[in-house]
Amino acid sequence: MSPKQYTKALTIAGSDSGGGAGIQADLKTFSALGCYGMSVITAMTAQNTQTVAGIQAAEPQFVAQQIDAVLDDIGTDAIKIGMLFSAEIIEAVAERLKAHKSENIVLDPVMISKSGAQLLKEDAIETMVKQLFPVAKLITPNKPEAEKLTGINIETDNDIKHAAEILFDTGAKSVLIKGGHLKGKQSKDMLFCKNGGKTDTYVFASARINTKNTHGTGCTYSSAIASYLAHDCDLESAVKFAKQYVKGAIEDGAAYKTGSGHGPLNHFFNVWNR
């Protein structure tokens, strides 16, 4: 009888020393959702619930070396990409993922931290669009990121649809525009998938939760989607289940106080025995 295999997921992202976002949030999410988690660190941040005090980027060739070390030996069933910081790192990541013919890539185009710190250099945005959008199965911008990428103001469903079409024109295969920054009683996310000559649209809505403990929500959402893709879910189901997971993690995490700023989600709400 052949040995069992873990379902595996890889995060390529920055480190959050406060543990709420970045690779720490990704690895917690992978573990909570039944995946063996691996990491490629693109940058280290000195970070807590209030601020990003400093950023130290990894050398691009070392980022590439990390990717090769994982994929040459262990392999993966899905990849989540988060903070990339520079054009040089983006180019190194894109080159190695293409060389490995990687699939099930979820790209969270992280640009600004919850505290307002710049996590992607301005001159790196075009490189990310050109090099990584075409290889990703899904990109997951929030409202400010989608506005930055498309140059349009997003307030309505029609604005969201327009933004998705612009992103498709850049080479994106599927687009999830997250509605956490939009107004309204519900947090509504819209998934757009190209299906031949038409676009399939899916809406995922949930009631807003009154809490400031939302640090790492985007990282958690994208890594949850990657986890479900690793478990062989189709894209619509992966987003649906990931949305449910994030909602539960925010709801449970709202009862806790961690630090003095935006606290983290409880990634293990569905695992820990109270």
Side-chain angles (χ1 to χ4, degrees):
M1 184 173 67
S2 60
K4 295 193 293 185
Q5 294 287 323
Y6 290 113
T7 298
K8 301 178 290 288
L10 170 65
T11 170
I12 303 174
S15 170
D16 173 4
S17 56
I23 62 164
Q24 285 81 358
D26 297 338
L27 291 173
K28 291 173 186 178
T29 302
F30 293 162
S31 297
L33 298 177
C35 291
Y36 175 81
M38 302 159 291
S39 63
V40 168
I41 300 175
T42 59
M44 295 178 292
T45 68
Q47 185 175 173
N48 54 33
T49 64
Q50 300 182 79
T51 187
V52 177
I55 298 174
Q56 181 64 56
E59 291 294 329
Q61 63 266 30
F62 186 62
V63 173
Q65 191 174 18
Q66 292 177 75
I67 293 172
D68 288 342
V70 172
L71 298 184
D72 284 343
D73 176 39
I74 303 170
T76 190
D77 298 301
I79 298 172
K80 174 264 170 78
I81 302 176
M83 176 187 176
L84 294 169
F85 190 65
S86 72
E88 293 78 14
I89 291 174
I90 291 168
E91 288 170 350
V93 169
E95 195 275 329
R96 296 322 300 152
L97 294 183
K98 291 173 186 175
H100 286 282
K101 297 181 172 58
S102 299
E103 299 179 338
N104 281 342
I105 298 171
V106 178
L107 172 61
D108 186 12
V110 176
M111 297 180 187
I112 304 291
S113 73
K114 184 73 70 177
S115 60
Q118 188 89 17
L119 301 180
L120 182 68
K121 291 182 177 179
E122 195 71 23
D123 64 0
I125 295 174
E126 184 178 354
T127 304
M128 178 177 65
V129 171
K130 288 183 176 179
Q131 296 290 329
L132 285 176
F133 277 23
V135 302
K137 186 184 190 78
L138 174 71
I139 62 171
T140 65
N142 58 27
K143 176 182 181 287
E145 291 160 351
E147 289 178 333
K148 184 74 173 178
L149 289 165
T150 63
I152 67 171
N153 184 49
I154 298 174
E155 298 295 341
T156 67
D157 286 358
N158 283 335
D159 295 335
I160 295 172
K161 292 174 183 176
H162 183 203
E165 289 301 324
I166 294 173
L167 292 170
F168 279 131
D169 288 341
T170 67
K173 296 175 182 175
S174 299
V175 180
L176 175 68
I177 298 181
K178 299 172 292 189
H181 291 80
L182 289 164
K183 298 176 182 178
K185 294 181 178 180
Q186 289 190 318
S187 175
K188 183 168 66 174
D189 310 327
M190 298 183 71
L191 171 65
F192 302 89
C193 303
K194 282 294 184 184
N195 183 8
K198 64 186 184 70
T199 301
D200 292 333
T201 304
Y202 307 92
V203 178
F204 307 91
S206 61
R208 292 189 182 276
I209 301 162
N210 184 24
T211 178
K212 69 175 184 177
N213 292 345
T214 55
H215 180 53
T217 301
C219 302
T220 300
Y221 199 172
S222 55
S223 55
I225 295 169
S227 297
Y228 284 114
L229 290 175
H231 284 297
D232 291 328
C233 285
D234 61 77
L235 188 55
E236 179 191 358
S237 298
V239 174
K240 174 185 175 182
F241 296 147
K243 174 84 169 178
Q244 293 170 352
Y245 169 75
V246 170
K247 178 176 180 290
I250 295 174
E251 284 178 334
D252 196 86
Y256 293 82
K257 179 173 174 57
T258 306
S260 300
H262 291 280
L265 289 59
N266 183 0
H267 294 88
F268 295 107
F269 75 96
N270 59 352
V271 179
W272 288 353
N273 186 337
R274 299 297 180 197

